[in-house]
Amino acid sequence: MSDAIKHECGIAQLRLLKPLEFYKEKYGSAFYGVNKMYLMMEKQHNRGQDGAGFASIKLDTKPGERYISRVRSIAQQPIQDIFDQINQRINKELTEHPEYADNVELQKRHIPYVGEVYLGHVRYGTFGKNSVESVHPFLRQNNWMHRNLIVAGNFNMTNVNELFDNLIRLGQHPKEKADTITIMEKIGHFLDDAVAKLYKKLKKEGYSKNECSPLIAERLNVAKILRKAAKNWDGGYAMAGLLGHGDSFVLRDPAGIRPTYYYQDDEIVIVASERPVIQTVFNVNYDDVKELEPGHAIITKTTGEVSIKKILEPLPRKACSFERIYFSRGSDAEIYQERKTLGKKLIPKVLKAVNHDTDNTVFSYIPNTAETSFFGMIESVDQYLSERKTKAIIAGDGKLTEQEVTDILSQKPRIEKIAIKDVKLRTFITEDSSRDDLVAHVYDVTYGVVKKDDNLVIIDDSIVRGTTLKKSIIKMLDRLNPKKIVVVSSAPQIRYPDCYGIDMARLEDLIAFRAMLELLKENDKYHMVEEVYRKCLAQVELEDKDVRNFVKDLYSQFTAEQISDKISELISDETVSAEVETIFQSIEDLHEACPKNLGDWYFTGNYPTPGGNRVVNRAFINFFEGNRERAY
């Protein structure tokens, strides 16, 4: 991806269903759970590199024994850092106490992080401070074992202010107006309430205080707590939690915006943000890893009983299509094929852009996530050339010479690795001219393979802001002296802000929005911008369900092709000699390529929850007023 954007987080939850001795005997170590968590988190590092966190719970501990461990990091390699800390602590205990070495009972009692219930998180900080205090899992502590709550999530709420105000009405005093704290306190409130009511009920039934504790764990209805807590949540989320006595859960949002997969057998229960992570780490088949249905939670009781419960009424499924285009690992079988299909569907437009002159066209891609769609694109070019070869041979009517047949059959797409990601830019120079020169060298190019009469087709998975294209890629490609540069996006034009976990909060940052504004100016329609602003202002006090997305009215003035043409102008300048053209995926072809992930609000403005329209409404007001604040 040429425009780096921060996005989604990743979760990993593991419950061991057997005693630790079982894993020691079968797999050679009581640290089986810790080792598997490291692998699950490492294989989701694509989902977050700003921070990582890990928490564990020991079951059936005695009073006075520590049963919750947690470690978090914002080091440069946070996953490596937290597991270095864990390993150092484990090795320290084993060195100081050799008697622990082959005694699983002593290991569990005395060594932190060795338990039966685990929760891990990798984080991209889409906004806010990237301090260790911002890193999941979050911990809500209490002397009552059942009231301890650990929470981590891949989520973003659009109505955190409303949820915060609800907590205040409940009599709480939250320490911070952050969505994770707000969500944790909301769950914690109803957890406290449920535990208190159970305790009161058990006392009435004649049980002593000591006898109540295991019965509370047995009777605690996690699904009921989640229904109450999540009642007014508006956003995309996969929310994971552990309770101090060992119950665990993962809840997915009702529109299925954020991904959640799980696997269970008689040894383990696993939940993760991506399917291939579970497949690879636990060596299980594709069909054995299930997708958690929207609005449902997978709940594992401390007894090991696993259930899937409907928590919220599912909405029309709008799973994030960006997961398929870019975010998720391409090793998932479905995602791999979908990305190839995205590339294939662009070929008719690409061939038109180069006048079907494949002999004088070089095909390449922006590393690294666009590689799979590039493969699909080349497969379609091969198919086109095969059809052209067949027609040429048939047209020869048996009179072609051997050399002519050889020439026809030798036609193939010219594939080259052109763009090379050279450095991770460190913007330590604030002077614009110096900084721009640094940006221009983020990518290097391969010289000597493009001729001056060649077209150069280069595919990227998406074009968000267009900054890297304009300041680096186009200028570097132009040094190769192609006749024409065709930039192809396997995603449609990104026109609207995201509010469910992707760092695209400001309209004016999006190149499609800026292109549309330029077209309004050129066509004497810019007065519509203030008209839409007035409409947005009039909606500020409306309930979310009544808010409309009036920004659509501006885009509707132009075709997708007109906006693409204007983007071509914006990513180029007078220093570029080659003709530049941009091609974007159509919405229809996106849906055909990714039929299970129809969430397309950043392309169409059709938000899956009421809070989305409020966010785009606020984003437009902020743009018009020159306010750089985020819209959520």
Side-chain angles (χ1 to χ4, degrees):
M1 187 178 220
S2 55
D3 283 325
I5 54 172
K6 294 185 177 182
H7 55 88
E8 324 244 339
C9 300
I11 57 170
Q13 188 183 90
L14 171 62
R15 167 63 197 273
L16 304 181
L17 297 175
K18 305 279 190 183
L20 291 181
E21 288 79 4
F22 170 87
Y23 304 95
K24 168 72 171 175
E25 183 176 341
K26 184 171 181 178
Y27 300 106
S29 173
F31 309 135
Y32 172 84
V34 174
N35 294 336
K36 291 298 186 183
M37 285 297 294
Y38 168 69
L39 291 173
M40 280 207 290
M41 291 174 66
E42 189 59 60
K43 289 188 179 297
Q44 292 185 99
H45 77 270
N46 56 298
R47 305 189 69 86
Q49 297 171 31
D50 287 343
F54 171 97
S56 65
I57 290 179
K58 303 174 188 282
L59 301 181
D60 305 319
T61 56
K62 297 175 183 177
E65 293 180 352
R66 182 179 176 182
Y67 57 95
I68 294 177
S69 299
R70 181 181 61 149
V71 59
R72 299 179 293 174
S73 174
I74 55 167
Q76 191 167 3
Q77 295 181 303
I79 300 171
Q80 192 68 49
D81 182 52
I82 62 174
F83 282 95
D84 282 347
Q85 293 182 52
I86 291 169
N87 288 331
Q88 286 171 16
R89 183 63 189 276
I90 290 173
N91 291 332
K92 180 175 182 290
E93 294 293 333
L94 291 174
T95 301
E96 294 177 357
H97 301 277
E99 67 274 17
Y100 295 171
D102 293 309
N103 192 318
V104 175
E105 182 184 349
L106 290 177
Q107 288 176 4
K108 177 179 173 179
R109 188 186 306 168
H110 297 291
I111 300 179
Y113 310 112
V114 181
E116 293 89 350
V117 194
Y118 300 91
L119 180 59
H121 187 268
V122 290
R123 176 180 189 265
Y124 266 127
T126 53
F127 66 97
K129 297 176 182 176
N130 189 36
S131 63
V132 74
E133 288 79 16
S134 304
V135 177
H136 302 200
F138 280 54
L139 172 61
R140 188 178 192 260
Q141 291 181 295
N142 196 289
N143 265 352
W144 281 67
M145 179 181 279
H146 319 88
R147 293 186 180 186
N148 281 284
L149 174 64
I150 302 170
V151 170
N154 169 20
F155 74 102
N156 200 74
M157 299 296 175
T158 70
N159 63 335
V160 67
N161 291 333
E162 175 192 336
L163 298 174
F164 183 84
D165 292 342
N166 287 344
L167 285 176
I168 295 172
R169 281 194 288 272
L170 290 171
Q172 291 198 16
H173 190 93
K175 63 181 181 180
E176 192 177 340
K177 190 188 278 191
D179 48 7
T180 311
I181 294 289
T182 305
I183 294 302
M184 182 172 69
E185 291 300 336
K186 189 82 169 180
I187 298 171
H189 168 78
F190 290 108
L191 174 62
D192 288 347
D193 186 56
V195 170
K197 286 178 179 176
L198 276 173
Y199 178 72
K200 195 172 182 181
K201 187 173 186 294
L202 289 165
K203 290 291 288 178
K204 282 185 178 179
E205 292 177 16
Y207 291 100
S208 69
K209 292 180 180 179
N210 277 343
E211 291 171 330
C212 285
S213 188
L215 291 170
I216 289 172
E218 181 185 317
R219 296 189 189 183
L220 195 65
N221 188 334
V222 177
K224 188 175 181 180
I225 292 168
L226 292 176
R227 286 187 190 103
K228 290 181 177 179
K231 183 180 177 182
N232 296 316
W233 294 356
D234 187 294
Y237 51 86
M239 195 67 61
L242 312 179
L243 307 186
H245 60 277
D247 286 359
S248 61
F249 65 84
V250 179
L251 169 62
R252 190 181 187 192
D253 68 87
I257 296 170
R258 296 278 73 88
T260 313
Y261 295 91
Y262 69 93
Y263 168 82
Q264 68 175 104
D265 57 26
D266 62 343
E267 296 181 12
I268 50 178
V269 181
I270 313 144
V271 187
S273 295
E274 298 190 23
R275 187 199 309 266
V277 171
I278 299 174
Q279 285 182 257
T280 302
V281 173
F282 295 92
N283 191 25
V284 296
N285 293 326
Y286 176 92
D287 292 334
D288 293 329
V289 181
K290 308 298 182 186
E291 184 175 4
L292 186 63
E293 290 298 314
H296 287 65
I298 178 168
I299 298 169
T300 306
K301 293 290 291 177
T302 186
T303 58
E305 177 193 352
V306 182
S307 60
I308 308 292
K309 300 284 188 183
K310 185 168 81 170
I311 305 301
L312 299 165
E313 199 61 40
L315 298 170
R317 180 185 168 94
K318 294 294 181 182
C320 175
S321 57
F322 244 125
E323 282 284 350
R324 319 301 271 194
I325 297 167
Y326 166 60
F327 295 145
S328 290
R329 290 166 70 94
S331 55
D332 182 280
E334 281 188 347
I335 292 174
Y336 184 77
Q337 294 302 326
E338 289 172 5
R339 288 182 183 171
K340 286 181 73 174
T341 303
L342 287 168
K344 290 177 181 178
K345 287 187 170 295
L346 289 159
I347 278 304
K349 293 180 182 177
V350 171
L351 291 174
K352 182 180 178 183
V354 299
N355 294 317
H356 293 77
D357 182 10
T358 54
D359 292 339
N360 295 300
T361 299
V362 173
F363 296 90
S364 193
Y365 61 92
I366 302 293
N368 287 319
T369 50
E371 187 174 7
T372 307
S373 55
F374 172 73
F375 291 155
M377 184 172 75
I378 294 304
E379 282 184 15
S380 280
V381 177
D382 273 329
Q383 183 180 350
Y384 164 75
L385 288 176
S386 293
E387 292 170 359
R388 193 168 77 176
K389 293 173 192 176
T390 302
K391 290 177 182 176
I393 291 172
I394 292 173
D397 197 23
K399 299 175 183 178
L400 296 174
T401 66
E402 181 179 338
Q403 184 60 49
E404 287 172 332
V405 173
T406 300
D407 290 344
I408 291 170
L409 293 177
S410 66
Q411 295 175 26
K412 60 182 181 180
R414 293 170 59 194
I415 302 168
E416 303 290 351
K417 187 167 185 178
I418 297 294
I420 303 164
K421 189 73 175 287
D422 204 23
V423 294
K424 183 174 182 181
L425 178 70
R426 301 290 182 186
T427 52
F428 51 87
I429 297 177
T430 55
E431 184 187 2
D432 285 346
S433 58
S434 300
R435 187 157 144 146
D436 286 352
D437 185 57
L438 279 176
V439 174
H441 289 84
V442 170
Y443 285 88
D444 204 347
V445 289
T446 303
Y447 293 93
V449 294
V450 177
K451 305 190 300 288
K452 65 178 182 179
D453 292 327
D454 282 341
N455 302 300
L456 178 53
V457 174
I458 193 152
I459 188 169
D460 200 354
D461 46 51
S462 58
I463 301 171
V464 185
R465 295 178 285 268
T467 308
T468 310
L469 273 173
K470 182 181 179 70
K471 293 186 176 181
S472 176
I473 295 174
I474 296 296
K475 292 181 185 296
M476 296 301 286
L477 296 179
D478 192 54
R479 293 184 183 183
L480 304 177
N481 298 314
K483 177 176 62 178
K484 183 176 185 179
I485 300 169
V486 182
V487 181
V488 185
S489 169
S490 63
Q493 297 164 3
I494 298 170
R495 299 180 169 194
Y496 302 93
D498 182 74
C499 51
Y500 304 117
I502 308 172
D503 191 19
M504 300 187 298
R506 299 185 185 94
L507 278 166
E508 61 270 28
D509 289 345
L510 307 177
I511 193 164
F513 182 77
R514 299 200 305 273
M516 177 269 292
L517 293 179
E518 289 299 316
L519 288 170
L520 288 173
K521 291 175 184 175
E522 292 172 8
N523 289 272
D524 295 325
K525 293 184 177 182
Y526 202 79
H527 60 88
M528 293 184 66
V529 173
E530 184 168 354
E531 292 168 10
V532 168
Y533 168 69
R534 299 296 174 196
K535 290 177 180 178
C536 290
L537 276 183
Q539 297 187 109
V540 169
E541 301 301 325
L542 295 181
E543 291 187 29
D544 287 355
K545 64 181 179 63
D546 298 321
V547 177
R548 279 187 52 200
N549 181 358
F550 286 112
V551 181
K552 286 184 178 183
D553 294 349
L554 299 178
Y555 282 111
S556 69
Q557 302 301 306
F558 309 103
T559 66
E561 288 71 23
Q562 286 175 303
I563 293 173
S564 293
D565 290 344
K566 182 53 66 175
I567 290 173
S568 301
E569 293 178 24
L570 293 180
I571 62 173
S572 183
D573 60 33
E574 67 281 353
T575 67
V576 175
S577 301
E579 178 188 352
V580 177
E581 181 176 348
T582 54
I583 294 173
F584 289 86
Q585 192 77 251
S586 70
I587 302 297
E588 296 75 21
D589 283 345
L590 170 70
H591 289 172
E592 284 186 22
C594 308
K596 294 182 180 178
N597 285 55
L598 300 177
D600 59 5
W601 52 91
Y602 16 67
F603 309 129
T604 64
N606 298 327
Y607 289 89
T609 74
N613 282 344
R614 177 174 46 77
V615 168
V616 72
N617 194 68
R618 171 49 59 186
F620 192 82
I621 292 171
N622 287 349
F623 149 71
F624 190 87
E625 295 178 350
N627 182 351
R628 293 288 293 170
E629 288 183 6
R630 300 177 66 90
Y632 60 91

